[in-house]
Amino acid sequence: MTKFTSDRLLLFGATGDLSRRMLLPSLCALDAEGLLDPDIQIIATARSEMDDQAFRNFARESLEQFLAPERRGGMATFLNRLFYQQLDANNPEGYKALAAKVGEPNQGLSIFLSTAPSLFEPTIRGLEQNGLAGPNVRIALEKPLGIDLESSKVINDAVASAFPEDRIFRIDHYLGKETVQNLIALRFANLMFEPLWNAAHIDHVQITVSETVGLESRVGYYDDSGALRDMVQNHMLQLLALVAMEPPVSYEATTVRDEKVKVLRSLRQIKAEETVTGQYRAGAINGEAVPGYDEELGKPSDTETFVAIKAHIDNWRWQGVPFYMRTGKRMPRRTTEVVVQFRDVPHSIFSGRGARTVPNRLVISLQPDENITLSLMAKMPGLDREGFGLRAIPLAISMPDAFAGPQRRIAYERLWLDLIEGDQTLFVRRDEVEAQWEWIDAIRATWEEHRIEPKTYTAGSWGPSAAIALAERDGVTWHE
């Protein structure tokens, strides 16, 4: 890979919701901490007609709304780095003016496509035809990267026509979260877990990504996508791969992603009885009434807003260990967590004293709070002639309390910085994307073959009762 640090950034979709909420605030926060080149220029582009100053005003309003006040230091300096060029991505002539605004990319240019996937192909063509796809140019792609394997290949082929793989940065923003990176540190920087991280000592793994929101502003996209494509195909499979992968030789892009691909290719095809789909109906979230999915959408739909899956990884380390995954909208609370349930002790020496052991459990919480908790058995204080009181107690690490600095970074801060520096470790390689889509497409084919339709669940609940039964058939209870 050619090493260079970008001194110019080009942001497509600069007036969109992701840019307002995440991308511009992330860049401003990096600049405030001195992590951007002091001479860096940020060129923004979108269909809206405005000049440099109008876009700076737009950016200021976004930062004041979405970036914490204590992280806005030097905002005036950051705003002066911003420039704007109007562009219709489907108009080839518009790229000439954009190229003139960007200038020669010899010193390093990083491009971020935060646009609809349908615009990727004309955008790539326009960049290439106007000198903005040379050897010192990198490109980042925001999801969705297709709706199935076939459409994903079309997108990846279009990008690959102008950019080699070592200059393509496919984004899964979960990989930018501090706790996801701490999952890697927990596994591979501590000797105590590795001997236990296998089927001999782990009973099962749970991965939950729940949201309290409904459709919000994603009506059109979500109804064409559903929970399986929107959450399982990317975020949840990436979490599963990080939990299950073998130790890489080094913490570098090639070695880390090689191990993740091995996991994804080891996923067993799902049977019909190993999956549950659901769609929320009217209910209440935090004491407030909310409408059902069809009411929000304005028409009947068979799109799933909830998925639960019992997955298996067919390799030596994980044979026989189920991975339970669930994700849904309109759940009781917003949370993302990984639960590693260890096996119970093979023989309890305390059973004669009336004490009962509980298996150890490691809980890695990504949101809303970034915490790592390990439950251990301990003797309860006190004197007892007959018994020996045991109770599971948590050893908890609150990441914000353990480390100084910003209490909660935006995941895109890490991803922006790695894009600028050319580090692909936390980005997704093409073979990863395609392995994920192969597995997801097989699940959808199973649904169609068995005519599986979403079961209803009340907004504010943890999904259909069948999802509870999916785990309880194995004597497993979802962690809540």
Side-chain angles (χ1 to χ4, degrees), residues 206 208 326 332-333 337 339 361 462 468 477-480:
Q206 299 181 25
T208 295
R326 64 174 174 172
R333 68 172 185 270
E337 67 179 16
V339 178
R361 172 179 283 177
W462 283 105
I468 299 173
T477 300
W478 290 104
H479 180 254
E480 296 175 4

Side-chain angles (χ1 to χ4, degrees), residues 35-172:
L35 295 173
L36 296 184
D37 187 297
D39 298 320
I40 201 167
Q41 293 184 353
I42 303 167
I43 299 91
T45 185
R47 296 188 64 175
S48 304
E49 292 188 18
M50 59 178 78
D51 58 15
D52 293 345
Q53 189 55 51
F55 182 74
R56 288 168 184 166
N57 293 338
F58 168 87
R60 178 185 291 107
E61 293 174 1
S62 300
L63 297 174
E64 290 174 348
Q65 183 174 0
F66 296 110
L67 186 61
E70 65 270 16
R71 305 201 67 200
R72 297 179 201 156
M75 186 169 72
T77 301
F78 171 74
L79 292 173
N80 286 331
R81 301 187 190 284
L82 301 178
F83 302 88
Y84 185 84
Q85 178 64 44
Q86 188 271 339
L87 174 71
D88 179 348
N90 285 310
N91 179 10
E93 295 301 315
Y95 290 90
K96 295 178 182 178
L98 179 64
K101 191 86 170 187
V102 172
E104 287 295 326
N106 296 334
Q107 299 304 312
L109 170 67
S110 289
I111 301 172
F112 194 117
L113 293 190
S114 177
T115 63
S118 60
L119 298 178
F120 284 3
E121 189 169 356
T123 300
I124 297 297
R125 188 165 54 248
L127 292 170
E128 185 177 26
Q129 292 174 351
N130 290 274
L132 296 178
N136 288 333
V137 181
R138 303 186 183 103
I139 190 162
L141 310 174
E142 183 59 62
K143 76 159 194 168
L145 296 179
I147 60 170
D148 54 20
L149 178 59
E150 183 178 352
S151 59
S152 175
K153 286 182 175 179
V154 170
I155 291 173
N156 280 312
D157 286 344
V159 179
S161 69
F163 294 88
E165 184 65 31
D166 66 357
R167 290 194 279 118
I168 301 174
F169 291 66
R170 296 175 190 82
I171 289 174
D172 185 327

Side-chain angles (χ1 to χ4, degrees), residues 269-273 275 277 302 440-453:
Q269 187 168 336
I270 293 295
K271 299 177 182 177
E273 61 269 21
T275 181
T277 70
D302 59 359
I440 294 299
D441 286 355
I443 293 175
R444 294 198 67 85
T446 298
W447 290 355
E448 292 175 8
E449 179 185 353
H450 294 271
R451 299 180 180 178
I452 295 175
E453 296 183 353

Side-chain angles (χ1 to χ4, degrees), residues 174-392:
Y174 265 48
L175 298 181
K177 292 179 178 291
E178 289 284 359
T179 318
V180 173
Q181 296 164 65
N182 258 311
L183 171 58
I184 302 172
L186 186 76
R187 286 202 56 196
F188 304 123
N190 298 286
L191 181 62
M192 62 183 293
F193 287 113
E194 182 55 28
L196 307 179
W197 211 262
N198 53 55
H201 299 96
I202 291 178
D203 181 78
H204 69 271
V205 176
Q206 299 181 25
I207 302 175
T208 295
V209 180
S210 64
E211 302 177 279
T212 57
V213 298
L215 285 176
E216 294 187 302
S217 61
R218 307 174 73 210
V219 175
Y221 163 74
Y222 193 86
D223 196 54
D224 290 336
S225 175
L228 185 69
R229 290 173 171 143
D230 184 48
M231 296 299 292
V232 180
Q233 186 273 333
N234 41 77
H235 305 326
M236 300 191 78
L237 283 183
Q238 283 293 313
L239 289 175
L240 179 146
L242 291 174
V243 170
M245 72 182 189
E246 295 296 318
V249 173
S250 60
Y251 186 63
E252 295 178 351
T254 299
T255 56
V256 170
R257 298 191 294 182
D258 282 349
E259 298 303 335
K260 286 197 291 176
V261 168
K262 292 177 185 177
V263 172
L264 296 170
R265 288 177 175 165
S266 299
L267 284 167
R268 186 189 305 172
Q269 187 168 336
I270 293 295
K271 299 177 182 177
E273 61 269 21
E274 294 174 326
T275 181
V276 175
T277 70
Q279 185 185 99
Y280 63 84
R281 61 173 183 248
I285 303 288
N286 296 325
E288 295 186 7
V290 296
Y293 181 80
D294 285 353
E295 298 169 75
E296 282 191 83
L297 188 62
K299 62 178 181 180
S301 172
D302 59 359
T303 297
E304 79 283 355
T305 63
F306 175 94
V307 178
I309 295 172
K310 177 184 175 183
H312 292 275
I313 299 170
D314 286 334
N315 62 21
W316 278 31
R317 182 182 290 265
W318 296 110
Q319 194 63 40
V321 177
F323 283 69
Y324 299 94
M325 298 188 289
R326 64 174 174 172
T327 182
K329 288 186 172 294
R330 293 299 191 196
M331 309 297 275
R333 68 172 185 270
R334 173 176 173 262
T335 185
T336 299
E337 67 179 16
V338 176
V339 178
V340 180
Q341 180 72 59
F342 293 92
R343 298 188 185 280
D344 203 352
V345 294
H347 170 70
S348 174
I349 67 171
F350 306 106
S351 57
R353 296 290 191 96
R356 177 176 173 268
T357 60
V358 176
N360 304 124
R361 172 179 283 177
L362 178 66
V363 180
I364 303 164
S365 300
L366 282 71
Q367 60 185 24
D369 301 312
E370 297 182 335
N371 298 317
I372 299 173
T373 304
L374 176 64
S375 66
L376 299 175
M377 295 304 298
K379 180 189 176 298
M380 291 186 290
L383 302 176
D384 190 334
R385 290 181 177 179
E386 301 295 331
F388 191 91
L390 292 176
R391 191 175 73 183

